[in-house]
Structures are given as C-alpha cells and as structure tokens.
Amino acid sequence: MAQTSTPDLILHHGRFTTLNRAQPTASAVAITGGRFTAVGTDREILPLAGPGTRAIDLQGRSVLPGLIDNHLHIIRGGLNFNMELRWDGVRSLADAMAILRRQVAVTPAPQWVRVVGGFTEHQFAEKRLPTIAELNAVAPDTPVFILHLYDRALLNAAALRAVGYTRETPAPPGGEIVRDSAGNPTGLLLAKPNAAILYATLAKGPKLPHEYQVNSTRHFMRELNRLGVTGAIDAGGGFQAYPDDYAVIQELADADQLTIRLAYNLFTQKPKQEKEDFLHWTATSQYKQGTDYFRHNGAGEMLVFSAADFEDFRQPRPEMGPEMEDDLEEVVRILAQNRWPWRMHATYEETITRALDVFEKVNRDTPLAGLNWFFDHAETISERSIDRIAA
C-alpha cells in the first residue's frame, strides 16, 4: 500500500487480482488523478478517504480493467447492429429457431432478419444448422440470412428472391451457389475459400436510415461496454468506404458520445486504384490525427486487392496472381515514406511469405525500424516466417 494524497475515488469490498506476487489479491484500491495510488484491504484503504473522495461499495464483485480489443469492426458493425439477431450462447437449435420466429413476427418489410456470426453449430445440442425448409417454414415472406463463421450462409426463399439469385446467376470466384438438380439456387452459399459471395449477398440487404445508424452504433458500443471493452482498434474492412461510411462514428465523436476509445484504420475500396487511394489519404490525413477517443491509426487491413486473402484456412489457398508483389510494393512504399503503420489480412503462409518479400525489399530503401506493422489472422504461418517478421 502506498498513498501520497487524498484519493478521488475508493473502490472497496471487491475482488482485485493485482499480478503482484507479494500481494496477489486485494479488496480495495484508491485512485488519484486517474492512477492507482493505494492497493490493499478495506481496513487499510477506507481511512484514506477525504471530504471529496467518492467511495463505491463493490458488494463483493470482481473488478476488471477496461479491455482493449485490437481487431474489431465497430464502424461497419455499428451501422448494422440493430438489424442483427444474436445466437451467442444459445444452447439448442430449437431455442435458436424460436428466437428467430419471434424476430420474424416483429420485423417490418422490407427489412431482413440477419444472424451474422457469434455462434457455431457445435454449440447446439442438435449439432447442426437449420435446414432451408425449416427457415422457409418459420419465415415464408421475410428474408432471412444466416452467416455461419466464414464458411457458409443460409438464405430462405424470400431472401433468394430479394437478392435475385436464379439459375442464370453465375458462380462467384472462389465460392459456390449450391444448386438443385434443375440448377436453381437452394439457399446455401459456400466460401471455397473466398467469402466474398457471403459478404456481397449480405450487402444487398436494405440499410438503416442515418439517424437509425447513429442509434445502432451507440447500441453496439453499449453491448461492447457490457462485455468490458472500453477501447478498440477498428481494423478496416470490406464495404467500409472512407469517408462516407465513417460519417456516423465521426458524428458521435464530435458530439462526445463515444463510449469506446477507438483507433481506426483506412482500407482501400478501389481495385487497381489502391495506390491513388493511399496517395490521397497520406496527403490529406495525418497518422494519429484526432482525439484520445477517436484517432487515426494507419492503413489496413487490406492494402491491395491482388493480395486479398481469405478466412477459411481449411480450404487450400487459390493461386495469387503474379502482379501482387508490384501492387503491394507501391502501397507499402507510400506508407513507409509517410511513416504510417499498417496491418495486412493474411490467413495463409503462402500470402505471408510473398508479402514479407515485399516488406524486406522496401526495408532496404526505407528502414521500417520504429514503424509498427503486422499480419492479421496468420492461422497457417510458419516458424520461418515468424523469424522473418521478428528480424
């Protein structure tokens, strides 16, 4: 225990894990000027209170620090959160379908019911996903879209009508629209391994009006707060164009209504025009511009479309085009010269190896020392590539 001045805040009758081997637990802390100034028992800490000290009885609860998530998609996710149905933690498919049925009953046309992650079939007692027939029975007229991990999506007949998929719809690159014996889409979409068909289909749904997007983003942040998240890095992501799709979060930041400290990355949206994007952004934006609650954090998580990687690492990596290195080098040189950090979505070792060739080449001309960069995901990375990254 150490204390030099009257604390602003005392938290007592709680449970703290200190990570101090000499004092691994505590029941009370004193905080002064935003810093912990004393840690100990209630008997030690409570007498430190002065006339202006606020004391909070934690009633035996555990206390966590504010969690920082370094890879979220708050900006994009917030625009849609109020349209999402969550199956997180639901123990049976029967219960999940009952929840879906209740949501269908209160969803107005032309909105969809969307379950876009947070669950797996293995959490259900039945150990399976719903069938298309079950979705059609629950929702004959309301479009339903269910995204399972990054590998598949289920659409009921109403959703197929809404997105316009027919027997004439061509197969997407690296994905599959599963069809019946007559060639008609069944409602099952597969990423093999390109999940673009899943995202592109979801993007066909109606968007919320601006004022609803503001409300939706605030609800999303509140949900994250409920889980203990108080800071995050928005990693950028598909269907998230700057500055248009950042208008809502900027509005909330300007109104001092963010409940999460947010650092954001810029993600190119223009195939074959990535260099122009980053030339423009580095000329008009500064790394770390903003406030402690909303700050620019560099580039990513995709830098050039020719280096685009996929999520389902159980599937083999499709061959990456020969133009990848040249495209990536142009962008990385711009970022390195402007001292912008970057992050790169790379699931496969093959992608990481080729990207490292580019990074090492740029490093010979423009040293990357002191500049933060990293690979997102990296599920199949090798020890050799880890050593190259460390070097």
Side-chain angles (χ1 to χ4, degrees):
M1 188 187 87
Q3 176 68 26
T4 58
S5 60
T6 301
D8 305 316
L9 174 66
I10 286 178
L11 306 177
H12 63 98
H13 189 197
R15 292 187 294 171
F16 296 85
T17 299
T18 68
L19 303 185
N20 177 355
R21 290 183 178 179
Q23 183 189 15
T25 61
S27 63
V29 298
I31 298 170
T32 309
R35 293 181 177 273
F36 291 100
T37 51
V39 179
T41 65
D42 288 11
R43 181 177 297 178
E44 293 170 326
I45 303 301
L46 283 171
L48 303 176
T53 300
R54 181 186 178 203
I56 298 177
D57 184 345
L58 299 173
Q59 300 180 19
R61 294 183 178 91
S62 295
V63 178
L64 288 173
L67 302 177
I68 300 172
D69 192 316
N70 83 337
H71 188 141
L72 284 177
H73 297 280
I74 291 180
I75 296 171
R76 181 185 69 203
L79 303 181
N80 304 307
F81 182 72
N82 282 0
M83 297 190 292
E84 296 175 7
L85 180 67
R86 306 299 306 185
W87 278 353
D88 310 54
V90 177
R91 302 271 180 134
S92 74
L93 179 59
D95 289 342
M97 293 300 287
I99 294 169
L100 179 64
R101 184 181 297 107
R102 290 195 295 270
Q103 184 61 50
V104 167
V106 297
T107 298
Q111 288 292 345
W112 300 5
V113 176
R114 316 171 194 219
V115 182
V116 295
F119 81 100
T120 168
E121 62 187 292
H122 302 294
Q123 79 192 43
F124 298 144
E126 298 88 342
K127 303 301 180 187
R128 68 174 180 87
L129 295 173
T131 65
I132 303 297
E134 288 170 333
L135 295 179
N136 288 334
V138 168
D141 302 310
T142 301
V144 172
F145 178 99
I146 296 177
L147 179 66
H148 180 260
L149 305 178
Y150 291 112
D151 64 358
R152 66 192 59 210
L154 304 175
L155 282 71
N156 68 345
L160 281 177
R161 292 193 297 270
V163 299
Y165 291 168
T166 67
R167 61 186 301 168
E168 284 75 38
T169 303
E176 181 181 353
I177 300 173
V178 177
R179 304 170 191 270
D180 62 19
S181 58
N184 296 306
T186 64
L188 175 61
L189 309 178
L190 299 177
K192 288 192 168 183
N194 191 342
I197 181 61
L198 312 182
Y199 305 143
T201 303
L202 182 60
K204 292 177 181 291
K207 293 180 170 56
L208 292 172
H210 178 81
E211 64 271 23
Y212 284 68
Q213 290 180 341
V214 172
N215 177 273
S216 179
T217 300
R218 296 189 70 186
H219 275 285
F220 188 25
M221 290 190 295
R222 182 64 177 267
E223 174 67 6
L224 293 169
N225 293 154
R226 185 183 69 82
L227 298 171
V229 177
T230 61
I233 298 175
D234 187 286
F239 305 98
Q240 184 173 317
Y242 181 81
D244 294 349
D245 291 331
Y246 291 67
V248 166
I249 202 76
Q250 184 67 63
E251 180 179 324
L252 290 170
D254 292 343
D256 197 25
Q257 292 183 340
L258 296 184
T259 61
I260 288 182
R261 290 181 174 86
L262 188 64
Y264 63 91
N265 287 56
L266 297 184
F267 169 104
T268 184
Q269 286 287 292
K270 300 174 183 175
K272 306 299 183 184
Q273 298 181 53
E274 300 94 337
K275 179 181 177 180
E276 288 73 17
D277 262 348
F278 286 108
L279 281 172
H280 172 68
W281 289 339
T282 53
T284 56
S285 301
Q286 291 184 337
Y287 170 52
K288 287 189 175 181
Q289 73 179 29
T291 69
D292 285 345
Y293 259 85
F294 189 55
R295 187 182 300 282
H296 175 238
N297 195 54
E301 85 186 87
M302 191 170 76
L303 303 178
V304 294
F305 277 78
S306 57
D309 224 340
F310 313 113
E311 288 87 355
D312 191 351
F313 55 89
R314 299 170 301 177
Q315 296 284 340
R317 171 71 173 94
E319 180 57 36
M320 184 178 285
E323 72 279 9
M324 175 271 201
E325 281 85 353
D326 290 342
D327 292 349
L328 185 60
E329 181 182 341
E330 286 187 332
V331 167
V332 170
R333 287 194 181 279
I334 293 168
L335 299 176
Q337 289 163 5
N338 286 275
R339 308 308 289 172
W340 272 33
W342 70 82
R343 57 197 303 156
M344 181 175 170
H345 181 131
T347 292
Y348 294 90
E349 164 68 6
E350 298 94 323
T351 305
I352 292 168
T353 298
R354 292 178 62 176
L356 283 170
D357 291 341
V358 173
F359 296 173
E360 290 167 348
K361 181 179 179 181
V362 172
N363 180 62
R364 290 194 287 270
D365 301 325
T366 307
L368 305 184
L371 183 62
N372 294 317
W373 58 268
F374 61 92
F375 292 109
D376 281 303
H377 306 290
E379 287 92 344
T380 67
I381 192 169
S382 69
E383 292 286 343
R384 170 61 181 147
S385 288
I386 292 174
D387 289 341
R388 292 175 69 188
I389 291 169

